[in-house]
Amino acid sequence: MINLVDLRRQFKSVEQEVLQAIAEVIEGGQYILGPKVKELEAKIAGRLGVTEAVAVANGTDALVLTLEAYGIGPGDEVITTPFTFFASAEAISRVGAVPVFADVDPVSYNISPSEIEGKITEKTKAIIPVHLFGLPADMDEINEIAQRHGLIVIEDACQAFGAMYKNQAVGSLGDAACFSFFPTKNLGTMGDGGIITTSDRELADKIRKLRTHGTTKKYFHDRIGYNSRLDEMHAAILLINLAKIDEWNQRRRELAERYRTSLAGVSDLTLPVESDHCTHIYHLFCIGSQRREERMKKLLQAQIQTAVYYPRCLHLQQVYAPLGYKTGDFSVAEALSERLFAVPMHPFLTEQEQDQIISILKQKDEN
Ligand SMILES: *Cc1c(COP(=O)(O)O)cnc(C)c1O
């Protein structure tokens, strides 16, 4: 089977370093929010060109704690995309605010700036653009709208570590940004993890307080918080993977280019597009086809794994029925949810394996 991602191959490529780092953490005797977490926070902030980074338990918590630190809650609205992983909207609901969706762009699959403005009301507090599949959202246009309306911009950068927008790193483009280190993310650990990046010191301090039960001084609590911290072992693993991430992202980009060149003429396939001012890191390589189910079945028969991201838009999720959306409200997102499927994409996919995938996709229809 050729898998969508291959975490064992990734581990094998850094095995000695990882095992040694884990042993050091165990021997060091400090397991949560220790020196490795501090080092990781400093390295990520430095790399992105922001002043603060706060590591937390996962990407969802990164979003929840950021929204809460901004004081967003009941009575507030936050605009985001209906075509993303559920957590982008779930975090908004978790703090008691209402997610308001705006349709996506048919080419980038990211939230369409021209759809945002019409969704702004007096209750709107923030916009959460998602850099979907590793491609940066249209941040200049989004920031311009936010500025004009006095809104906060929180990047959901969970799928896009290392992606660039006009020579600036994703994670440094809004007021704050949230990353996930879930194992299958392009920068992941062997468990859960997340981080918030910002250049707002006051915000970062509030998030630091929220991640440890609302304390600044141990056993003295001045607000209700969370237990949402990153473990030393994960920070140690992430420091190793962070040193490789540019190489890994570059390999993803090369494989994406190979897919694009080889599949360019296949009539029913739509391939991801790269604009000249963005560096896509291909967390996922999603292809569009009107004959998706048939395509996926053929690949499966050839022992090639595929998956659908995402089969149901967020405005049509059962849990959001009370928000009153209906089919047809976001036609671009809905069409994507019916057409896109992901093919294997990871830095350890061999060209030989990729050629097998390509040859199945190029096979002429037999029926
Ligand atoms: C993975 C992901 C999250 C949530 O991250 P977790 O670490 O799994 O909690 C949020 N938003 C997007 C877009 C994601 O892909």
Side-chain angles (χ1 to χ4, degrees), residues 33 101 129 145 153 272 274 276 289 327:
L33 292 186
F101 300 110
I145 294 166
V153 176
E274 246 196 39
D276 28 337
S289 172
T327 303

Side-chain angles (χ1 to χ4, degrees), residues 57-63 81 83-91 128-133 156-160 178-185 191-195 283-284 310:
N58 54 67
T60 308
D61 279 6
L63 288 163
T81 160
F83 193 61
T84 174
F85 179 56
F86 183 59
S88 310
E90 186 185 28
I128 303 185
V130 180
H131 307 305
L132 197 74
F133 305 151
D156 181 337
C158 288
Q159 302 186 357
C178 300
F179 291 94
S180 165
F181 301 133
F182 186 79
T184 58
K185 301 292 159 104
D192 278 306
I195 203 163
H283 163 61
L284 294 170
Y310 293 93

Side-chain angles (χ1 to χ4, degrees), residues 254-291:
E254 286 162 13
L255 290 165
E257 199 47 47
R258 278 186 101 243
Y259 269 134
R260 248 197 307 265
T261 325
S262 316
L263 297 172
V266 185
S267 63
D268 71 306
L269 301 185
T270 318
L271 302 167
V273 174
E274 246 196 39
S275 53
D276 28 337
H277 60 271
C278 285
T279 310
H280 197 321
I281 53 81
Y282 301 98
H283 163 61
L284 294 170
F285 193 88
C286 290
I287 298 177
S289 172
Q290 305 268 22
R291 297 157 44 207

